[in-house]
Amino acid sequence: MASIKPSVPKGTRDFSPAEMAKRNYIFDTIKSVFRKYGYQQIETPAMENLSTLTGKYGEEGDKLIFKILNSGDYLLKVDQQLLLSLNVQRVTAGISEKALRYDLTVPFARYVVMHQNEIAFPFKRFQVQPVWRADRPQKGRYREFYQCDADVVGSESLLNEAEFVMIYDEALGKMGLKDFTIKINNRKILSGIAELIDKSDNITDLTVAIDKIDKIGLDGVSKELLERGFSEDDIEKIKPVILLQGTNEAKLASLRATLAGSVIGIKGCDEIETVLNYIAGNPLRTAKLELDITLARGLNYYTGAIFEVKTNEVQMGSIGGGGRYDDLTGMFGLKGLTGVGISFGADRIYDVLEELDLFPQTASQGTKVLICCFDADGEKFALPLLKQLRDSDIPSELYPAGAKIKKQLDYANARQVPFTIMIGSDEMQSGLLTLKDMVSGGQEKLPADEIVKKLKA
RNA sequence: GUAGGCAUAGCUCAGUUGGUUAGAGCACCAGAUUGUGGUUCUGGGGGUCGUGGGUUCGAGCCCCAUUGCUUACCCCA
């Protein structure tokens, strides 16, 4: 059989032991903070019904969903005319009814609706699982990556928003990030701005354009708005809002003045202020909290708060995001249930921590001692000792007999095992075993009990 | 979807205007060392130069195509 050159699909990666240790450090840190704030973990299947996912992420998003082909002779079940039509969308619906999850929020909404009778609201859940996107990979962008989501459904309180800011602050600070910004905005403010220029029905174009202010500047945004049917007059009206400067309080005051004529706009200001007040009572440790009204994000289901987290220490896209959606479960038939949530992008956080060299030297959580013996007799002699070590919760291994000592010690070094125990004829005769410190190179002869005691310390 | 860059040993990469048998470091295996590694020395295995075509007396190098990877745009974690 011809051998195939081994490879993994574009944008996916293997994780070796050293990487897993670091990844688990990130996951464990985030999970511990989630738990501390009262969130409970759930998991949902890697695949969902395609119909559950389509239409939730906009036109672009739908294209990025990985579809799973039906099983069996699925082509026979499809109308031949349809196949010949070459209409991708309709043919897809005929040959695929499952897809890999694209994010954790939509599956969660489905979960809430399906389990509504067993859930105690407000329901605070967290979820740490991979998601898949058929995107073009590039720096910090993968086709399989983990999201760490925390959401609350069934609570309108803005305390939730404030707690999410605290969770970001605490979790990212715990991982050693020193300089990062939590940007916050409110969809109602954006609605107010649209109202101001009587373009409420075109809020998507407006938000998409002003979201780019950092990248393409005011001129670029103006140009894009003109192309999308906004007038010079409109742009003049909203210009002061887009170009807001100063402290969060100053921005808020200015917004209130500009949006005075918009009920919804003022509501957005009120909400932001409430969140800021909650935070003021519990000052953040590390994060900067910045009201940024250019923050719009693509997701069109946000209705209140919008979050995005960026590190200022390295060049990297956002490492977290989230917001409030008043009616996410509505599309699954459960109306009027509000939700707010955030997400950590674990893979990007990994890249950031790696670049900043912030991973702790997790004192080799691996094997602590390797027993090396010179022959089969030594191996037999070592077995009770191995059991004794493991009964004392000392991670230990016995190198199978037959290999040269050099090879066994090489193995210990490669695995970064800090201690070895040598067992040869001398040791078996005297009962004094040779314990070797692989870092210092020193060794001493001790009875088994002493060794266990010493390694346990 | 749009545009650029790269492809040579398991890994990271050299390879001169196109010229004889394609190199280095790391890793691996063996020996120096019959009971001692992480430093040293010696030797060894490893290659369809991504694939296919073309130009040429001659191609790792030039041209065309193709595949894969990668970076940026769009969008996103």
Side-chain angles (χ1 to χ4, degrees), chain A residues 127-256:
Chain A
Q127 193 169 350
V128 177
Q129 289 191 274
V131 303
W132 293 270
R133 295 185 187 179
D135 220 343
R136 292 247 170 146
Q138 51 187 269
K139 186 178 166 67
R141 172 181 295 183
Y142 306 98
R143 300 217 287 187
E144 177 185 61
F145 62 98
Y146 273 71
Q147 287 190 329
C148 312
D149 273 31
D151 290 82
V152 187
V153 285
S155 168
E156 290 180 356
S157 171
L158 293 163
L159 180 59
N160 298 306
E161 273 84 340
E163 283 206 345
F164 283 130
V165 172
M166 295 174 205
I167 287 173
Y168 271 135
D169 180 47
E170 184 164 340
L172 295 173
K174 230 177 186 174
M175 287 186 270
L177 294 186
K178 299 273 185 298
D179 184 8
F180 57 94
T181 305
I182 303 169
K183 294 185 176 180
I184 184 171
N185 191 13
N186 195 296
R187 178 59 177 264
K188 297 189 175 77
I189 291 179
L190 297 172
S191 299
I193 296 168
E195 223 174 70
L196 199 67
I197 54 173
D198 208 21
K199 287 283 192 323
S200 292
D201 51 345
N202 210 0
I203 187 166
T204 306
D205 282 343
L206 178 67
T207 53
V208 165
I210 65 177
D211 189 29
K212 296 177 185 165
I213 182 83
D214 280 346
K215 280 183 189 166
I216 59 179
L218 181 62
D219 290 345
V221 173
S222 303
K223 197 176 154 211
E224 184 152 339
L225 285 174
L226 286 175
E227 283 168 8
R228 289 173 187 271
F230 292 81
S231 69
E232 297 274 7
D233 216 34
D234 295 339
I235 294 168
E236 274 311 306
K237 270 191 202 159
I238 61 172
K239 200 191 272 180
V241 180
I242 301 174
L243 295 175
L244 275 187
Q245 295 283 329
T247 65
N248 293 336
E249 290 71 21
K251 287 179 185 171
L252 211 47
S254 164
L255 275 174
R256 282 186 185 285

Side-chain angles (χ1 to χ4, degrees), chain A residues 276-290:
Chain A
L276 292 179
N277 285 341
Y278 276 124
I279 302 294
N282 276 307
L284 301 178
R285 300 157 203 225
T286 319
K288 296 186 182 77
L289 181 61
E290 182 188 326

